[in-house]
Amino acid sequence: MAVISSENRTHAGSCVDSEMTRQGAVAAAYAAGGGSAAIAAAIKTAEIAHYRRIIASCKANGLPFNNFTPALVDLGTGGA
C-alpha cells in the first residue's frame, strides 16, 4: 500500500481510504478481465479517481496539493 503521511488525521484517513478503494478497483479490473486494454483502462480510471480524491482532501483540509497534480497530468487528465 502506498502511504501518504500527514499530521492532519482527517487527511491521513482520507488517503488510507482512497488507497484501499484504489486497490479494490484494480483488483476488480483484473477479476473482470476483458483483455489487457480493458484492464488498463479500468486501472487508469481507478488511478485518476484516487488522485482526485487525494487532491480534494488536501483542498478540504487546507493542505498543499501540488505534489499530486503531476500524477493526473501523467494520466492524461491535464491536472486538477
Side-chain angles (χ1 to χ4, degrees):
M1 178 186 312
V3 177
I4 298 171
S5 62
S6 175
E7 291 184 21
N8 182 308
R9 288 185 177 198
T10 302
H11 177 63
S14 294
C15 291
V16 169
D17 290 346
S18 183
E19 177 62 19
M20 290 173 48
T21 300
R22 185 196 68 78
Q23 287 184 18
V26 169
Y30 281 108
S36 60
I39 293 170
I43 290 172
K44 181 178 178 179
T45 298
E47 296 287 332
I48 290 168
H50 171 66
Y51 285 110
R52 286 185 174 160
R53 286 189 300 267
I54 297 299
I55 290 170
S57 178
C58 287
K59 289 179 178 180
N61 289 288
L63 300 170
F65 57 89
N66 56 335
N67 290 342
F68 302 105
T69 53
L72 287 176
V73 172
D74 290 347
L75 288 164
T77 67

